[in-house]
Amino acid sequence: MNAPVSLKVNPDLQTVTQVTHWTDRLFSFRVTRPQSLRFRSGEFVMIGLAGDNGKPILRAYSIASPAWDEELEFYSIKVPDGPLTSRLQHIEVGQPIILRPKPVGTLVHDALKPGKRLWFLATGTGFAPFASLLREPETWEKYDSVVMMHTCREAGELEYGRQLVADLRDDPVIGELIGDKLQYYPTTTREQGPFMGRITDNLTSGKVFADLGLEGPLDPVRDRAMVCGSLAFNKDVAAVLEGFGLEEGSNSAPADYVIEKAFVGDGV
Ligand code: A2P
């Protein structure tokens, strides 16, 4: 009689419960949440699939759902020859994915000093941690107002965020908490739209303040910021924020703004 070959169940396997394709390059999906997993809204975990050789292919993904949600949501790019996303984009409801339940990250409320107005600055799939933080009651309890700036090349890429913000306002619990505190400022850079331009430019020129009727410019006494996008974007926004006198914070030394790199581009 043959002994069973490694019938050990992988404790890190979760099941896909929903998949939504937003464009030919963007999709979101939901998976079951391990009962033991606790995280702070804005953190990320490693998720992935078993590779052909049986070894897991894992990447860091911001959790797009809030800490109170029963499931976990993720928002991803599709890279045709990306080691993970070339396959992840084809996942279907009922299929397993690997999730290492060790959440970490700096886009958390604990890493910011108290302030009045909070800026969420995202490009592309960098919207994901803010999809979590926008649904986090602490966001609305701690700040008088929140400005969500999201910039993509084309309008279709803004749709996940646009839908999420619309649903938020209609949500009986979160909608009530938000009241009139949320200003949403989606812009495109390569397709004509109602609002256009890079986040860096719209902050330095003052356009976002003028368009939304907000008091400007950024002020370290009043303003806090969380940033998530490509490496180049993060670097340039940091310089803009520093130019206005904001200082970078971390879990161990809270300050005025925090940064996380979204997984974009090659190797995903
Ligand atoms: P742009 O079209 O002017 O390059 P990407 O898809 O390349 O990650 O870009 C996503 C969005 O972020 C685009 O709208 C892009 O504007 C903008 N972006 C890219 N790099 C920067 C940067 N260094 N500073 C500000 N915005 C940027």
Side-chain angles (χ1 to χ4, degrees):
M1 202 174 97
N2 290 332
V5 189
S6 182
L7 282 180
K8 200 175 77 175
V9 175
N10 184 339
D12 291 344
L13 283 186
Q14 299 300 320
T15 306
V16 176
T17 59
Q18 193 185 316
V19 184
T20 308
H21 294 272
W22 296 93
T23 70
D24 57 358
R25 288 185 59 244
L26 294 167
F27 71 116
S28 63
F29 55 98
R30 293 174 70 86
V31 307
T32 52
R33 176 174 176 170
Q35 271 193 342
S36 60
L37 176 63
R38 298 278 171 275
F39 67 97
R40 295 176 294 174
S41 295
E43 288 187 314
F44 64 83
V45 285
M46 304 298 288
I47 63 170
L49 298 169
D52 291 336
N53 59 3
K55 269 179 116 181
I57 306 170
L58 298 169
R59 295 290 182 271
Y61 270 81
S62 287
I63 303 173
S65 46
W68 52 262
D69 203 327
E70 279 176 19
E71 293 182 337
L72 299 173
E73 183 172 319
F74 299 97
Y75 181 46
S76 179
I77 195 166
K78 307 175 192 176
V79 181
D81 53 1
L84 178 61
T85 63
S86 62
R87 297 180 42 219
L88 194 62
Q89 64 180 289
H90 299 297
I91 49 162
E92 289 175 9
V93 171
Q95 290 182 343
I97 77 154
I98 303 167
L99 187 147
R100 298 266 194 260
K102 292 195 180 60
V104 283
T106 53
L107 294 190
V108 291
H109 284 300
D110 295 342
L112 292 178
K113 288 182 186 165
K116 297 267 181 237
R117 186 169 64 182
L118 179 59
W119 295 76
F120 288 157
L121 310 176
T123 57
T125 55
F127 188 86
F130 304 120
S132 174
L133 286 155
L134 284 166
R135 293 183 272 190
E136 169 56 58
E138 191 180 353
T139 300
W140 308 104
E141 286 156 9
K142 281 199 160 160
Y143 291 89
D144 294 343
S145 63
V146 175
V147 188
M148 176 75 243
M149 295 180 78
H150 185 204
T151 298
C152 295
R153 296 179 182 198
E154 294 166 13
E157 299 168 271
L158 293 166
E159 203 45 38
Y160 171 74
R162 194 184 295 280
Q163 188 74 57
L164 191 128
V165 168
D167 290 347
L168 266 184
R169 296 194 202 270
D170 290 341
D171 185 286
V173 179
I174 301 288
E176 178 105 336
L177 277 177
I178 294 176
D180 56 6
K181 288 183 173 182
L182 174 61
Q183 305 267 2
Y184 174 49
Y185 194 75
T187 65
T188 49
T189 49
R190 303 196 191 188
E191 187 183 2
Q192 203 64 35
F195 295 105
M196 295 192 65
R198 288 180 159 201
I199 287 171
T200 40
D201 295 338
N202 289 332
L203 283 173
T204 42
S205 69
K207 186 174 188 306
V208 59
F209 300 94
D211 285 346
L212 297 177
L214 297 175
E215 217 179 301
L218 291 175
D219 174 353
V221 173
R222 169 185 55 209
D223 292 297
R224 300 290 172 265
M226 292 187 178
V227 176
C228 189
S230 63
L231 215 51
F233 168 73
N234 287 358
K235 189 166 147 278
D236 290 350
V237 177
V240 168
L241 297 175
E242 300 268 345
F244 285 111
L246 278 74
E247 291 176 5
E248 185 171 0
S250 66
N251 277 288
S252 55
D256 309 320
Y257 76 92
V258 280
I259 287 202
E260 203 103 86
K261 182 179 172 293
F263 265 95
V264 281
D266 301 338
V268 188

